[in-house]
């Protein structure tokens, strides 16, 4: 089906999220919509899917004008959407999930399970999906859950499929499978709109690329453009995708974790006998698909989660029995994963956020009374050193952009003498410019001789920063490999394959993205 | 607050309660951010609404309506006179009475206003600390009762020299309130018990506790069966500061000192920084090394101490004898005062004075013009209702929306409405029947 947008504009109050967007997706085309976080990609897709109604402009399907009052209308018209966060009910079976809301019925309104099951099998056979219709959603790996979402869309005869950041939660191998599925769907004549901010995927998959920036279409590109070209269009200026860094000069071990085990509130082992060592002046990245215990590792090191066993040693002292405050004062600089809930207090001023974890320490206070002048001076000095774009340090931090908020967090953690830099997803949700800055700052911290532990699910970030990479899978460290290890190996390890086997398997089979990488390097 | 966050809350067990709670917190925060212009305009609108009600109930005005079409002038003239008389009586009763016989009597109203304001300010500050820290302390009533009870008992049961006796009684009052608030605080910190429910329950317990105590001879020490305690000794009373003929007592200095202290605590101390941090974002506070359970307990302990001090000042400065109705509706008015004062120390002080004034003026208004004193309650309620709904006030005065967008205004209005409902619920008049 052909999808066409003409002058679609969506405003929220005075803010224009989409400004006169023209877009044509041909039948059987994989159309990538590329843009940074907050560029307006998701708003646009939600408009197509009937979640928002546009202020101006029109949507045409096969040259016929349509208007949707809600997702129901859009589904009816043949539009399917797979959200970044899946809309599935964990305790339902695959069949139940697929038919939810569109249950086939027998006489007397009874649900026709056999028919529903047959339909799931039929679709999954047609595209070789390999999904058991009776499996429970919660038992399926993320990649399979995504396939269930796709089956759901297809079972409603979707002929335009919108995929919102579909690879964010996948390992490279799962991404590979997804790419295969997308190609099959394309063969079958389904149009695919594919939203992403990851450049390498776009190049590997898309037939056509539309770049969107600040709500406007700023350019179209063909998949043979280089990543740097694409990035420049996306950001609007020249960018460096890789940060220059000198080889690490590791000193003696500054920080180590030994046999750390953490059990979650529901009794699940989330960290299983994890051991790591980081030398001074070295960056260790913890890679893995989201939800494999990396966040818990960071939280356990800071003391937000208590460990049932193991030691956490910083400069020879065991931190395990210490409170969060004692650990921070022992020299941990922590950048939390979720900035808005854990990193800053939005209603507090920039100054207050700047001293958030040092408020009761010298020189900001004498333990009882705070010293506003000292705090303010330090905030002014350090925010300018970290190039935070701000009006006034007395303004609430919520007036800053995400990137600038993150810089305040970094300024807070790095402006004191730290013995360990611990960051979880330090660049999540940031624009390319800020990512560059954050990476550079982390490398500078390393060069000062601080051991750095960076948790990241973005492989780009990991290969950009890491001197060594620890890959985690279901709470276990699968292996620790050098920083330049290739993506195929890392991908296999992220799926739980042990180091040696991963190397062997990667030799035999290259992923599409891995090949694209090699081509780009050649 | 992000929408994802709300979804998480929904999914969690007991999600509905948590959701409601987070909405309340949100509403209180919104309230505290409403601009002072809104506050002033709200008072203005309340006076207009009050005026309409005065007219509607006034027999003279009703009389002129009978021949309205023959002589509409009469109606307007009478209306004007009635409202002028009522509000001028309110003003003379609250601030300065230019019709009084002696100069002393002329300035007496303002001192009466301050007398009323003392317990409201102290307890209001206690509630405000809770609001700023994300806790809805509805237990002002119970904490005031405990404060008054402890202060009274120390006041008549012990024989001590002048200064020490008063000091001990005040400290005892604060301690009583602190214990009562602390029960809720420690329960919340240790078990996550909802402080709204616990403090409401503690109000009832306090009410029955005082009723029981007043029947115990060892406690009342009066030798009579009346459920009223002995008067506190002269040495434990908050001394008058203007001599005979005035009731104004040293409690006003206490209120001023407490206001300054709370300002310092919230804005300048590390403990206050922790309080505000857990109020705005407990997760970030925890990540920053704040001992959240400890801070949570301390918020309610310190808030309870201030409420207890309010009860003590009320007893030692004005009432002198402990009776079951000692707290009146103070505890609930204190919530209103804290809301009106936008949970800021100076704002709470001024709101306390305003409410004290309305109360003092209401008496004269009723005595001189026959306008029911209940109008004062209406004024209080309308003020809070409007402060809770800034968009309504803006609509009435055609003011622009601050961020210039209508985004989520409906949702926000809904939330504010809820807060207004909680805040403006008429204080349940709990009385223990014998």
């Amino acid at each position: 089906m052909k999808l066409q947008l003409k002058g679609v504009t969506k405003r929220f109050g005075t803010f224009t999220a989409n400004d006169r967007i023209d877009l044509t997706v041909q039948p059987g085309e994989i159309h990538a919509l590329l843009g940074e976080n907050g560029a307006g990609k998701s708003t646009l897709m939600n408009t197509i899917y009937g979640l928002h109604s546009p202020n101006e402009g029109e949507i045409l399907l096969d040259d016929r004008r349509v208007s949707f009052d809600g997702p129901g209308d859009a589904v009816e018209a043949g539009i399917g959407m797979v959200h970044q966060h899946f809309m599935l009910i964990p305790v339902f079976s695959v069949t139940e999930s697929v038919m939810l809301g569109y249950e086939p019925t027998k006489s007397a309104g009874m649900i026709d399970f056999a028919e529903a099951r047959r339909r799931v099998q039929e679709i999954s056979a047609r595209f070789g999906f390999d999904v058991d219709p009776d499996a429970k959603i919660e038992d399926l790996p993320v990649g399979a859950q995504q396939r269930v979402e796709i089956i759901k869309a297809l079972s409603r005869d979707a002929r335009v499929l919108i995929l919102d950041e579909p690879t964010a939660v996948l390992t490279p191998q799962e991404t590979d499978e997804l790419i295969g599925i997308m190609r099959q769907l394309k063969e079958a004549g389904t149009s695919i709109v594919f939203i992403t901010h990851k450049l390498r995927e776009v190049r590997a998959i898309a037939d056509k690329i539309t770049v969107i920036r600040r709500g406007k279409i700023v350019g179209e590109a063909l998949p043979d453009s280089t990543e740097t070209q694409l990035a420049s269009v996306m950001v609007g200026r020249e960018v460096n995708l890789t940060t220059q860094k000198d080889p690490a000069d590791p000193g003696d071990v500054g920080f180590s974790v030994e046999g750390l085990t953490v059990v979650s509130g529901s009794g699940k082992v989330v960290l299983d006998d994890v051991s790591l060592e980081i030398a001074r002046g070295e960056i260790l990245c913890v890679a893995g698909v989201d939800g494999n215990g990396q966040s818990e590792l960071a939280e356990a090191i800071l003391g937000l989660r208590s460990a049932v066993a193991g030691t956490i040693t910083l400069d020879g002292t065991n931190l395990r029995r210490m409170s969060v405050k004692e650990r921070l004062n022992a020299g941990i600089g922590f950048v939390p994963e979720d900035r808005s809930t854990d990193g800053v207090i939005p209603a507090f001023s920039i100054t207050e956020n700047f001293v958030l974890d040092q408020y009761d320490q010298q020189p900001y206070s004498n333990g009882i009374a705070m010293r506003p002048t000292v705090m303010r001076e330090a905030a002014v000095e350090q925010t300018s050193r970290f190039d935070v774009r701000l009006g006034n340090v007395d303004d609430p931090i919520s007036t800053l952009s995400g990137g600038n908020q993150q810089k305040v967090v970094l300024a807070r953690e790095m402006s004191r003498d730290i013995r360990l830099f611990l960051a979880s997803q330090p660049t999540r949700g940031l624009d390319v410019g800020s990512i560059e800055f954050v990476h550079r700052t982390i490398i500078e911290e390393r060069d000062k001789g601080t051991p750095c532990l960076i948790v990241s699910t973005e492989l780009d970030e990991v290969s950009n920063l890491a001197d060594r990479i620890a890959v985690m899978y279901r709470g276990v460290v699968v292996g620790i490999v050098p920083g330049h290890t290739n993506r195929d190996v890392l991908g296999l390890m992220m799926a739980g394959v042990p180091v040696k086997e991963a190397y062997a398997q990667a030799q035999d089979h290259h992923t599409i993205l891995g090949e694209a990488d090699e081509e780009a390097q050649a | 607050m992000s929408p994802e966050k709300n979804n998480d809350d929904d999914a969690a067990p007991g999600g509905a309660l948590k959701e409601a709670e987070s909405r309340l917190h949100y509403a209180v925060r919104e309230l505290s951010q409403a601009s002072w212009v809104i506050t002033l305009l709200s008072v203005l609108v309340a006076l207009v609404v009050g005026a309409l009600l005065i007219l509607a109930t006034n027999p003279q005005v009703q009389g002129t309506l009978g021949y309205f079409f023959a002589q509409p002038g009469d109606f307007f003239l009478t209306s004007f006179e009635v409202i002028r008389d009522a509000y001028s009586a309110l003003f003379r009763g609250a601030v300065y009475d230019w019709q009084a016989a002696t100069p002393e009597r002329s300035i007496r109203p303002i001192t009466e206003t301050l007398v009323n304001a003392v317990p409201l300010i102290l307890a209001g500050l206690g509630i405000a600390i809770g609001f700023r820290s994300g806790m809805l302390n509805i237990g002002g009533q119970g904490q005031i009762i405990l404060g008054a009870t402890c202060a009274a008992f120390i006041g008549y049961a012990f024989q001590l020299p002048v200064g020490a006796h008063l000091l001990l009684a005040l400290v005892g009052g604060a301690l009583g309130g602190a214990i009562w608030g602390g029960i809720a605080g420690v329960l919340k910190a240790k078990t996550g018990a909802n402080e709204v429910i616990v403090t409401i329950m503690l109000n009832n317990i306090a009410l029955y506790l005082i009723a029981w105590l007043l029947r115990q001879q060892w406690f009342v020490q009066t030798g009579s069966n009346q459920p009223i305690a002995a008067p506190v000794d002269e040495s434990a009373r908050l001394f008058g500061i203007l001599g005979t003929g005035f009731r104004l007592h040293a409690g006003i200095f206490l209120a001023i000192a407490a206001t300054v202290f709370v300002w310092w605590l919230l804005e300048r101390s590390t403990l206050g920084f922790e309080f505000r941090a857990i109020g705005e974002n407990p997760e970030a506070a925890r990540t920053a090394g704040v001992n959240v359970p400890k801070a949570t307990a301390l918020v309610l302990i310190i808030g309870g101490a201030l409420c207890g001090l309010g009860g003590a000042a009320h007893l030692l400065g004005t009432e002198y004898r402990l009776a079951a109705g000692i707290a009146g509706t103070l505890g609930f008015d204190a919530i209103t005062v804290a809301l009106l004062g936008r949970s800021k120390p100076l704002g709470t002080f001024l709101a306390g004075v305003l409410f004290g004034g309305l109360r003092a003026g209401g008496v004269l208004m009723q005595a001189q013009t026959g306008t029911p004193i209940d109008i004062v309650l209406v004024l209080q309620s309308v003020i809070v209702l409007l402060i809770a709904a800034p968009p309504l006030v803006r609509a009435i005065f055609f003011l622009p929306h601050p961020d210039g967008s209508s985004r989520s205004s409906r949702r926000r209005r809904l939330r504010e409405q809820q807060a207004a409902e909680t805040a403006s619920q008429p204080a349940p008049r709990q009385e223990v029947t014998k």
Side-chain angles (χ1 to χ4, degrees):
Chain A
M1 194 171 355
K2 182 172 154 191
L3 169 72
Q4 220 178 341
L5 304 184
K6 281 188 183 167
V8 169
T9 302
K10 177 69 196 169
R11 280 185 285 264
F12 296 103
T14 53
F15 174 70
T16 309
N18 292 142
D19 191 2
R20 283 162 289 156
I21 301 277
D22 295 310
L23 185 75
T24 308
V25 184
Q26 299 294 346
E29 180 180 76
I30 299 181
H31 197 122
L33 202 57
L34 182 68
E36 296 199 76
N37 292 300
K41 296 166 295 181
S42 292
T43 308
L44 187 62
M45 290 308 113
N46 287 337
T47 308
I48 299 175
Y49 195 54
L51 287 164
H52 300 316
S53 53
N55 297 92
E56 283 163 35
E58 51 188 32
I59 303 170
L60 299 107
L61 283 175
D62 282 341
D63 299 321
R64 229 165 17 84
R65 205 184 151 176
V66 289
S67 77
F68 303 137
D69 279 335
D73 292 353
V75 170
E76 189 105 328
I79 294 177
M81 183 153 173
V82 176
H83 293 89
Q84 185 177 357
H85 302 284
F86 306 146
M87 309 288 174
L88 294 170
I89 299 170
V91 294
F92 272 23
S93 74
V94 171
T95 307
E96 286 169 328
S97 309
V98 170
M99 72 181 178
L100 181 66
Y102 296 82
E103 301 86 356
T105 48
K106 294 187 286 199
S107 56
M110 302 289 280
I111 294 175
D112 191 347
F113 280 100
E115 164 64 18
R117 197 165 178 282
R118 196 193 55 74
R119 218 184 283 176
V120 173
Q121 276 171 325
E122 191 248 324
I123 294 167
S124 99
R126 182 154 28 117
F127 296 101
F129 275 3
D130 184 31
V131 172
D132 173 9
D134 300 318
K136 288 254 188 303
I137 296 293
E138 59 191 354
D139 301 332
L140 293 177
V142 181
Q145 291 187 11
Q146 190 174 51
R147 266 170 272 160
V148 174
E149 283 275 22
I150 296 173
I151 293 174
K152 198 160 112 185
L154 295 176
S155 76
R156 283 152 209 181
D157 299 319
R159 279 165 299 150
V160 176
L161 191 61
I162 301 168
L163 302 174
D164 190 357
E165 300 272 359
T167 56
V169 288
L170 304 182
T171 65
Q173 277 73 18
E174 282 176 318
T175 304
D176 224 34
E177 284 169 31
L178 176 70
I179 294 172
I181 289 170
M182 285 167 72
R183 287 186 176 156
Q184 261 181 330
L185 290 170
K186 167 193 155 123
E187 294 297 311
T190 309
S191 318
I192 295 174
V193 184
F194 163 59
I195 306 177
T196 188
H197 67 273
K198 295 187 184 172
L199 302 164
R200 72 182 65 241
E201 285 165 8
V202 173
R203 295 182 58 241
I205 313 164
D207 297 319
K208 205 167 166 199
I209 302 164
T210 298
V211 186
I212 184 167
R213 185 170 78 227
R214 291 190 190 157
K216 282 189 190 153
I217 288 184
V218 289
E220 293 196 349
L222 291 173
D224 51 13
S225 327
T226 66
E227 280 183 32
T228 319
Q229 280 170 343
L230 287 174
S232 306
V233 182
M234 184 163 100
V235 183
R237 60 178 175 83
E238 289 295 315
V239 284
N240 270 327
L241 289 173
T242 47
T243 315
Q244 292 301 318
K245 64 165 183 177
D246 299 326
D249 178 22
D252 44 348
V253 173
F255 175 78
S256 67
V257 166
E258 188 72 39
L260 193 67
T261 303
V262 170
V263 178
S264 77
S266 54
K268 205 174 141 225
V269 178
V270 287
L271 273 192
D272 191 358
D273 195 18
V274 168
S275 299
L276 297 169
E277 276 189 348
I278 310 173
R280 288 184 224 283
E282 180 192 45
I283 299 177
L284 177 75
C285 280
V286 178
V289 178
D290 217 354
N292 276 289
Q294 313 96 305
S295 317
E296 287 80 2
L297 174 65
E299 287 170 11
I301 291 173
L302 190 69
L304 294 169
R305 275 173 192 273
S306 53
V308 292
T311 56
I312 302 165
T313 315
L314 179 62
D315 292 332
T317 359
N318 187 358
L319 303 181
R320 200 180 135 207
R321 302 266 168 229
M322 290 188 180
S323 70
V324 177
K325 179 167 286 177
E326 286 164 335
R327 295 187 206 206
L328 286 168
N329 292 341
I332 297 183
F334 180 64
V335 176
E337 179 174 331
D338 192 334
R339 180 176 51 249
S340 56
T341 60
D342 300 330
V344 299
I345 298 182
F348 273 24
S349 71
I350 294 163
T351 304
E352 285 172 318
N353 273 294
F354 174 73
V355 299
L356 195 60
D357 57 9
Q358 292 298 308
Y359 64 94
D360 57 350
Q361 300 297 313
Q362 292 281 3
Y364 303 129
S365 86
N366 60 13
I368 298 167
M370 302 183 71
R371 300 201 177 102
T373 339
V374 181
M375 277 160 51
R376 198 173 182 284
E377 272 165 17
V380 169
E381 188 193 323
Q382 294 299 331
T383 49
S384 83
R385 192 161 78 87
F386 279 79
D387 191 30
V388 183
R389 305 284 158 81
L390 51 79
N392 187 328
V393 288
D394 304 320
D395 292 340
I397 198 163
S398 56
T399 56
L400 300 185
S401 71
N404 281 316
Q405 291 187 16
Q406 190 74 339
K407 284 183 193 170
V408 174
V409 173
L410 286 170
R412 172 173 84 211
E413 302 306 326
M414 288 179 170
S415 59
R416 60 196 169 100
D417 187 22
I418 51 174
R419 313 295 304 158
L420 168 72
F421 180 71
L422 171 62
S424 212
Q425 309 290 0
T427 58
R428 181 175 277 181
L430 299 192
D431 55 90
V432 174
S434 304
I435 292 175
E436 249 183 293
F437 180 86
V438 172
H439 284 179
R440 233 181 19 244
T441 317
I442 292 174
I443 290 167
E444 276 168 26
E445 189 66 40
R446 176 200 78 170
D447 292 341
K448 279 198 275 177
T450 310
C452 299
L453 178 61
I454 313 292
V455 171
S456 179
T457 52
E458 297 267 352
L459 273 186
D460 288 340
E461 177 160 275
V462 170
S463 29
N464 208 354
L465 285 178
D467 297 317
R468 284 188 305 143
I469 303 171
V471 182
M472 286 191 69
Y473 176 71
R474 300 205 175 158
V476 178
V477 173
V478 179
I480 298 178
V481 291
H484 52 75
T485 308
N486 91 31
R487 235 163 241 277
D488 291 345
V489 176
L490 290 176
L492 288 162
M493 288 171 69
M494 282 157 76
V497 180
V499 186
K500 275 186 188 154
E501 234 171 282
Y503 272 106
Q505 280 186 31
Q507 284 286 315
D508 303 339
H509 177 76
H510 285 292
T511 61
I512 296 167
L513 289 179
E515 277 168 20
D517 260 5
E518 274 166 28
E519 272 169 37
Q521 275 165 12
Chain B
M1 207 179 295
S2 67
E4 291 89 347
K5 187 68 196 158
N6 280 345
N7 290 345
D8 286 349
D9 283 351
D10 281 343
L17 184 66
K18 270 192 187 159
E19 163 92 339
E21 205 191 338
S22 73
R23 277 189 193 169
L24 279 169
H25 288 163
Y26 180 84
V28 167
R29 199 175 312 157
E30 280 280 292
L31 280 178
S32 64
Q33 282 160 2
S35 94
W36 60 271
V37 179
I38 299 286
T39 312
L40 275 185
L41 293 177
S42 302
V43 174
L44 198 66
V45 174
L47 287 174
V48 172
V49 172
L52 292 177
L53 284 172
I54 292 171
L55 290 184
T57 54
N58 189 286
Q60 277 168 283
V61 175
Q62 281 162 359
T64 62
L65 274 178
Y67 54 94
F68 179 77
F69 290 104
Q71 258 183 312
D74 258 19
F75 166 74
F76 290 111
L77 191 66
T78 318
S79 298
F80 173 73
E81 281 171 355
V82 165
I83 294 171
R84 185 198 60 196
D85 290 349
Y87 281 157
S88 91
L90 188 65
F91 183 81
R92 283 187 286 116
V95 185
Y96 179 79
D97 188 354
W98 56 85
Q99 294 179 358
T102 63
E104 266 180 19
R105 285 197 155 269
S106 290
I107 58 158
R108 190 166 186 273
I110 183 72
T111 67
E112 278 303 292
T113 293
L114 293 178
V115 168
N116 287 336
V118 167
L120 285 174
I121 292 167
L122 287 167
L125 288 170
I127 306 289
I129 287 183
F131 283 166
R132 288 289 288 279
S133 318
M135 267 166 265
L136 299 170
N137 178 2
I138 311 296
Q141 192 76 355
Q143 291 148 20
I144 289 170
I145 290 176
L146 260 286
T149 307
C150 293
F153 188 71
I154 294 170
Y156 59 69
F158 298 164
Q159 308 297 325
L160 288 164
V162 178
H165 201 179
L166 174 60
L167 195 66
L168 189 71
L170 287 173
V171 169
L175 209 60
I179 290 170
W180 221 237
I183 295 173
V186 171
L187 280 177
K188 186 178 172 71
K190 294 264 181 219
T191 69
N194 186 308
E195 80 280 6
V196 177
I197 294 169
V198 176
T199 50
I200 290 177
M201 295 305 149
L202 282 171
N203 284 346
N204 284 328
I205 295 173
L207 215 56
Y208 285 97
L209 178 69
I210 190 176
W212 177 78
L213 282 175
L214 289 174
R215 292 169 161 278
Q216 310 305 312
Q217 206 41 242
W218 63 264
F219 183 80
V220 292
Q221 300 187 357
T222 53
S224 124
N225 274 336
Q226 287 296 313
I228 186 165
V232 292
D233 294 350
E234 222 33 75
S235 57
R237 291 184 187 183
L238 278 164
F239 45 90
I241 51 177
L242 289 177
T244 49
F246 294 98
R247 294 200 301 157
L248 187 61
H249 53 82
I252 189 68
F253 298 133
L254 207 56
I256 293 169
T259 308
V260 175
F261 168 74
V262 170
W263 173 83
W264 178 84
L265 179 75
L266 286 174
E267 305 297 333
R268 287 288 179 270
S269 77
T270 53
L271 189 62
F273 189 82
E274 293 184 0
F275 285 4
R276 289 186 293 126
I278 64 169
E280 292 288 346
N281 187 343
E283 281 88 10
R286 201 164 90 91
T287 309
V290 174
N291 185 340
V292 177
K294 186 178 138 203
T296 302
L298 276 174
V299 166
L300 286 167
I301 289 171
I302 294 179
L306 280 162
C307 286
L309 202 56
H314 185 53
L315 186 111
L316 300 173
T318 322
E319 298 288 327
Y320 306 134
R321 297 190 77 166
L322 186 71
I326 181 75
T329 58
L330 273 179
F332 301 99
D333 292 345
I335 297 174
T336 325
V337 164
L339 279 176
L340 181 61
R342 294 182 284 133
S343 306
K344 303 256 167 61
L346 182 62
T348 306
F349 185 89
L350 295 175
V353 172
L354 176 71
F355 274 39
L358 285 174
R359 203 179 269 198
V363 179
L364 189 72
M365 181 173 76
Q366 184 166 30
Q368 289 203 347
T369 68
T371 311
I373 195 167
D374 297 332
I375 288 290
V376 165
L377 196 63
V378 173
L379 291 183
Q380 291 180 0
S381 307
V382 173
I383 291 170
V384 173
L385 201 73
L386 289 173
I387 289 179
L392 181 61
V393 181
R394 284 192 209 102
I396 294 173
F397 291 94
F398 301 105
L399 294 176
H401 198 269
D403 40 332
S405 75
S406 60
R407 177 175 46 91
S408 76
S409 60
R410 220 184 106 203
R411 248 176 59 198
R412 193 182 304 167
R413 224 173 298 154
L414 243 158
R415 285 176 169 164
E416 273 156 5
Q417 221 172 320
Q418 281 178 331
E421 277 160 19
T422 4
S424 66
Q425 264 165 10
R429 291 180 191 276
Q430 290 159 311
E431 264 147 40
V432 181
T433 44
K434 281 190 278 179

